[in-house]
Amino acid sequence: MDVERLFLITLLVVSCNSPSLAAQYHLLIRNGTIYDGSGAPPFTGDVAIISDHIADVGPKIPGEAKTIIDAGGKAVAPGFINMLSWANESLIQDGRSQSDIRQGVTLEVMGEGESMGPLNEKMKHDMVEQQGDIKYDVAWTTLAQYLDHLITRGISPNIASFVGATTVRVHELGYENRAPTPEELTRMQQLVRQAMEEGALGVASALIYAPGFYAKTDELTALAKAAAPYGGIYISHMRSEGNRLFEAFDELLTISKGANIPAEIYHLKASGQPNWPKLDILIQRIEKARADGKKITADMYTYTAGATGLDASMPPWVQEGGYKKWAERLRDPAIRARVAKEMATPTDDWENFFLAAGSPEKILLVGFKNEKLKPLTGKTLGEVARLRGKSPQETAMDLVIEDGSRVSTVYFLMSEENVRKQLKLPWVSFDSDEGSFAPEGVFLKSNPHPRAYGNFARLLGKYVRDEKLIPLEQAIHRLTTLPAQNLNVKNRGALKKDYFADIVILDPATIQDHATFDKPHQYSTGVLDMWVNGVQVLKNGEHTGAKPGQVVRGPGWKKS
């Protein structure tokens, strides 16, 4: 080897390993206003990316890159974490995850009560039978297989999931309203352990809905105990968000203490106007528990309406055994009379959204399975009742029977004042509690809650920029680092060296939600560019078509 060639090779090796000489990156984002996720004030600086990782973050990074982007005047932040996503089916239909990607979401966290695994053959059959507009083969059994199935198909965001307490209950007990036997509970715990070793983030419950409603505190504690040694958390749609709100929180705290596990409240709220004043007391109780050393957190969406189904308007006893048994009972005149009476009677025995909404005019019908009923999409239960000349209770029961489903429904339940109070709480992160859609194809056959298209942009536009409820750096912290820490997710949720390159560039001056309850299929604007694992999925506000999403696994994951 001649001397000149040896000198050039030596120079190349030194330059690649010396911080004093120009480094080479595949992407350099320059001159952006850097919000690193910590909550600290922003600074003007650069972010350098090599492959799927952040190589450096600082005021001025020397070096060159294959791609250089000038982010002057724009905010550069970690990708956002959607703490409660129902994109489990929408991602099968369309892996681009358009409505969330265009808001800056790089991680979808799924599994509220029901997860896509573990399944048995009966559950697979039921899942196919109950499908609505989105049709798919159930080509998996375990939760890990489902997550890997999505990656194989190709998706733009990263994904993670809890294992559903309802799912493991149905796996062993079906839809029966009874306690598990000791042998069944042991098997349920083993299913949780298996899911944790596959990378689940913890155990999630949804306790106002049958059959999750049938689970008692000791059963949930046992499942949480199975998850605790793996570093998981317990997260819950509590047993009540209204009349028995305090008792529901006490149950969550009991489970957290009994299993020695951190706990999070799904979509924090006080539902029903008579319960709105309870929020202040609930916040005091949560903060007292936190001051006592308990790891209690919460998440929320930025709207006064929730979305679920007409099952939340009917007593859980009529739903025992699953949809077919429920619909069969609703055909019995004596049972219908009893259900109608209970729907209209105040109670603390179950969470009655029919009464909590305050009026059938505040119950919006947004998604039907039966093509013949789709023209009713967007009408209120009150409107449909008048069209049919029946009571709202009778109409609700008829729709459940005719549609072959629980009927997707929006309920106006909360106060704007309380939404603003929750937004200011430093231990609250954010969720959409919706799928991730596009205004095209099969998605247009129903109306999602507008939070599917607007939840995160609404936070940053309406509440941060316009109303100045919290500073932008705090909002970004609670969209990124806070949920990553709560979930025990490593190397994501911050702009730090060696973290995964999930990065958002947005314009704080223009970010805006546009989706409404009347016209929900409208993209938010103001998120300009975004990378998932170092691959650009959004460029100048338009989706690139890239699908670099990966599974984000919990701390209990065993690679084997």
Side-chain angles (χ1 to χ4, degrees):
M1 184 180 295
D2 61 67
V3 174
E4 182 179 3
R5 187 178 178 192
L6 180 61
F7 172 77
L8 289 172
I9 291 173
T10 303
L11 181 62
L12 179 62
V13 170
V14 170
S15 66
C16 288
N17 290 278
S18 172
S20 63
L21 297 176
Q24 297 298 311
Y25 308 106
H26 89 249
L27 172 66
L28 259 175
I29 301 169
R30 291 205 180 278
N31 305 317
T33 304
I34 307 297
Y35 294 82
D36 62 11
S38 68
F43 62 91
T44 301
D46 305 341
V47 181
I49 294 97
I50 295 177
S51 185
D52 62 351
H53 280 70
I54 296 171
D56 201 1
V57 180
K60 185 67 176 177
I61 298 173
E64 295 300 324
K66 180 179 178 182
T67 302
I68 297 177
I69 292 178
D70 186 351
K74 305 300 186 291
V76 182
F80 302 158
I81 297 174
N82 184 352
M83 275 296 296
L84 198 183
S85 169
W86 281 107
N88 45 349
E89 289 187 332
S90 59
L91 285 174
I92 296 174
Q93 177 69 30
D94 183 353
R96 293 174 299 170
S97 192
Q98 290 258 36
S99 62
D100 266 358
I101 286 290
R102 290 169 182 259
Q103 294 183 78
V105 173
T106 58
L107 174 58
E108 305 278 7
V109 182
M110 300 178 280
E112 183 202 5
E114 297 180 356
S115 53
M116 297 297 273
L119 306 175
N120 57 33
E121 290 306 312
K122 173 71 164 56
M123 295 168 76
K124 289 184 181 184
H125 175 270
D126 290 347
M127 187 176 285
V128 171
E129 190 172 67
Q130 293 164 9
Q131 287 171 7
D133 295 327
I134 299 173
K135 309 293 185 186
Y136 54 92
D137 294 327
V138 183
W140 63 88
T141 299
T142 68
L143 180 57
Q145 288 168 352
Y146 161 74
L147 296 171
D148 289 339
H149 176 74
L150 284 185
I151 301 305
T152 299
R153 291 177 63 86
I155 56 174
S156 296
N158 297 311
I159 50 172
S161 183
F162 288 88
V163 60
T166 300
T167 300
V168 298
R169 173 174 247 271
V170 172
H171 194 283
E172 295 303 314
L173 280 75
Y175 294 87
E176 296 181 37
N177 181 7
R178 64 173 177 84
T181 66
E183 293 76 17
E184 287 168 337
L185 186 57
T186 296
R187 292 198 296 270
M188 290 165 67
Q189 287 182 301
Q190 184 53 38
L191 289 172
V192 170
R193 293 187 189 98
Q194 177 185 339
M196 295 303 297
E197 292 180 5
E198 293 172 349
L201 299 170
V203 176
S205 66
L207 301 178
I208 76 164
Y209 307 108
F213 174 88
Y214 307 142
K216 305 303 182 192
T217 306
D218 57 351
E219 175 185 327
L220 298 166
T221 302
L223 299 183
K225 281 183 177 179
Y230 296 95
I233 75 169
Y234 173 71
I235 187 167
S236 181
H237 180 146
M238 297 192 302
R239 203 173 295 275
S240 174
E241 297 169 333
N243 293 356
R244 294 181 61 81
L245 179 62
F246 302 144
E247 293 86 346
F249 174 66
D250 289 343
E251 180 184 39
L252 178 121
L253 202 55
T254 296
I255 294 166
S256 176
K257 291 177 180 177
N260 192 26
I261 194 170
E264 174 143 330
I265 300 168
Y266 271 134
H267 40 60
L268 181 69
K269 65 174 77 74
S271 296
Q273 187 167 356
N275 297 308
W276 292 349
K278 293 180 180 179
L279 182 69
D280 290 338
I281 299 171
L282 177 64
I283 291 170
Q284 291 172 11
R285 291 190 177 192
I286 295 171
E287 294 191 330
K288 167 106 176 28
R290 288 172 54 83
D292 291 342
K294 305 297 184 295
K295 293 183 179 179
I296 308 295
T297 51
D299 50 69
M300 66 174 290
Y301 46 78
T302 56
Y303 295 81
T304 59
T308 179
L310 287 176
D311 52 336
S313 284
M314 299 184 202
W317 63 262
V318 78
Q319 302 173 49
E320 183 179 359
Y323 171 77
K324 288 183 178 179
K325 292 286 188 183
W326 177 23
E328 182 181 325
R329 291 189 188 101
L330 292 181
R331 292 185 176 94
D332 183 312
I335 291 178
R336 287 174 71 90
R338 179 183 169 190
V339 170
K341 181 179 179 180
E342 292 190 18
M343 288 174 68
T345 303
T347 181
D348 289 343
D349 293 339
W350 58 283
E351 196 86 335
N352 186 341
F353 279 23
F354 181 80
L355 288 181
S359 165
E361 309 308 318
K362 295 182 179 180
I363 301 175
L364 194 64
L365 305 170
V366 296
F368 293 94
K369 182 178 178 180
N370 185 340
E371 292 289 337
K372 293 179 180 178
L373 295 178
K374 287 187 181 295
L376 301 179
T377 302
K379 296 184 183 301
T380 69
L381 181 61
E383 286 180 272
V384 177
R386 288 191 294 276
L387 286 171
R388 294 186 168 204
K390 289 188 174 183
S391 72
Q393 297 97 309
E394 289 281 341
T395 301
M397 288 185 274
D398 288 344
L399 291 175
V400 167
I401 295 169
E402 294 169 30
D403 196 52
S405 84
R406 67 178 192 153
V407 181
S408 295
T409 314
V410 167
Y411 296 87
F412 291 84
L413 301 166
M414 288 79 73
S415 78
E416 182 65 23
E417 180 185 0
N418 280 352
V419 168
R420 289 186 170 94
K421 285 179 183 177
Q422 293 168 195
L423 278 163
K424 296 177 182 179
L425 299 170
W427 37 268
V428 171
S429 55
F430 298 94
D431 67 78
S432 73
D433 197 4
E434 258 289 7
S436 187
F437 309 113
E440 60 187 54
V442 71
F443 297 135
L444 294 177
K445 290 188 173 186
S446 62
N447 280 359
H449 191 299
R451 63 195 182 195
Y453 284 84
N455 187 68
F456 306 97
R458 182 177 176 85
L459 167 68
L460 299 178
K462 174 180 172 61
Y463 293 112
V464 173
R465 179 191 61 234
D466 298 343
E467 299 190 11
K468 296 180 173 56
L469 290 183
I470 56 174
L472 182 56
E473 57 263 32
Q474 186 186 137
I476 289 176
H477 167 68
R478 290 163 52 197
L479 286 165
T480 58
T481 300
L482 176 66
Q485 290 172 341
N486 292 342
L487 294 170
N488 270 329
V489 168
K490 306 302 180 187
N491 298 321
R492 294 190 191 269
L495 296 182
K496 287 185 179 181
K497 184 177 180 180
D498 296 329
Y499 272 48
F500 284 95
D502 299 335
I503 301 170
V504 175
I505 299 177
L506 62 92
D507 186 350
T510 63
I511 191 164
Q512 188 68 47
D513 65 300
H514 302 286
T516 65
F517 288 99
D518 290 335
K519 296 180 179 180
H521 288 288
Q522 299 187 78
Y523 289 134
S524 292
T525 52
V527 175
L528 307 175
D529 300 282
M530 191 165 77
W531 292 261
V532 176
N533 300 316
V535 177
Q536 191 162 15
V537 295
L538 204 66
K539 185 175 183 179
N540 296 325
E542 295 296 328
H543 204 294
T544 66
K547 297 177 180 178
Q550 296 295 326
V551 179
V552 175
R553 296 178 173 90
W557 180 45
K558 294 189 176 180
K559 295 184 180 181
S560 60

